[in-house]
Amino acid sequence: MPHEFTDNPQVHAERADFAAYATAAWPRLVRTAHMLTGDFHDAEDLVQTTLAKVYARWRRVPREDIDFYVRRSLVNNNLSRTRKRRVAQLLMPFVPERAHQREPGHAEAVTQRAALDAALAALSARQRAVLVLRYWEDLGEAETAQLLGCSIGTVKTHARRGLEALRAHPLFTGRNPVSGARP
C-alpha cells in the first residue's frame, strides 16, 4: 500500500501517536521478543514486523487495549515465524552486548542466561509463550489465556509442563537455575 502525502492533521496526529507509542514500547517489546525467540536479532526483527503490522491497523486498534493488541500480535507473529521455519541455528548462547559487561558474578550470570536460553529453546513455541507471558511479562492466567486465544486450563497445562521440562533439563539437574527458586 503506497504512502500518500497529505496535509490532513488527523493523519499526522495518528502517525505521531503511533511513533510515540512505538518509541516508548520498543525496549519492553524487544525484551519480551528476546525471551520468545532466544536470539536478540530475531527479537528485533519480530518486533519490527509486529509494529509494521500494527501500524497498518492503527486506526482500528482500541486505544484502551493497545498493549494487549500489540502483545498478542507479537506472540502470534512469533508462533507463525516458528511454524514457517523450523531451522535450527547455531548461534552464541548469550547476547554479545551483555557478555562484555564486567560485574561481580558475571561469568555465573552469563552461564545461567545461556542455560535458560538453551532450556527455553527446547520447549514448544506455545509452552515458551506461556512461560514468557506468565513469568517474564507477569500476566495472570486469564490475561495469558485471552492473549493466546485459549482456555485458562490450557495455560495452566502449558505452564506446568513447561516448568517441568525446565526443571528436568540437563543444564538444571541438581541445582536451581535461579537463586531462591523452588526445586
Side-chain angles (χ1 to χ4, degrees), residues 19-75:
Y21 174 80
T23 302
W26 179 266
R28 177 179 47 85
L29 293 173
V30 169
R31 284 191 303 269
T32 300
H34 182 256
M35 295 299 290
L36 290 170
T37 63
D39 178 64
F40 182 73
H41 301 290
D42 284 344
E44 285 188 328
D45 290 344
L46 177 62
V47 173
Q48 190 172 24
T49 301
T50 299
L51 288 175
K53 289 180 179 181
V54 168
Y55 178 72
R57 300 173 106 6
W58 188 248
R59 289 182 185 175
R60 294 183 290 257
V61 176
R63 293 298 176 244
E64 63 275 358
D65 290 333
I66 290 174
D67 286 330
F68 173 80
Y69 185 89
V70 171
R71 194 179 288 131
R72 183 171 188 160
S73 296
L74 185 74
V75 170

Side-chain angles (χ1 to χ4, degrees), residues 3 42 53 63 84 91 106 116 146 162 176:
H3 293 285
D42 284 344
K53 289 180 179 181
R63 293 298 176 244
K84 288 178 184 173
L91 299 173
H106 173 70
L116 180 61
Q146 184 182 12
N176 292 328

Side-chain angles (χ1 to χ4, degrees), residues 91-177:
L91 299 173
M92 293 178 64
F94 53 84
V95 181
E97 294 83 13
R98 292 189 51 107
H100 298 294
Q101 296 175 354
R102 296 289 177 214
E103 56 189 57
H106 173 70
E108 183 180 331
V110 169
T111 303
Q112 284 182 347
R113 179 59 190 231
L116 180 61
D117 285 346
L120 284 173
L123 300 176
S124 72
R126 294 289 276 192
Q127 285 177 345
R128 186 176 187 150
V130 166
L131 291 180
V132 168
L133 292 172
R134 287 280 292 128
Y135 303 109
W136 178 259
E137 286 284 320
D138 201 28
L139 297 180
E141 291 169 343
E143 292 170 307
T144 302
Q146 184 182 12
L147 199 117
L148 293 174
C150 62
S151 70
I152 293 174
T154 302
V155 168
K156 289 179 180 181
T157 299
H158 281 308
R160 181 180 49 79
R161 289 179 182 165
L163 289 173
E164 285 174 359
L166 288 179
R167 287 184 185 120
H169 196 277
L171 295 172
F172 298 135
T173 305
R175 66 181 178 96
N176 292 328

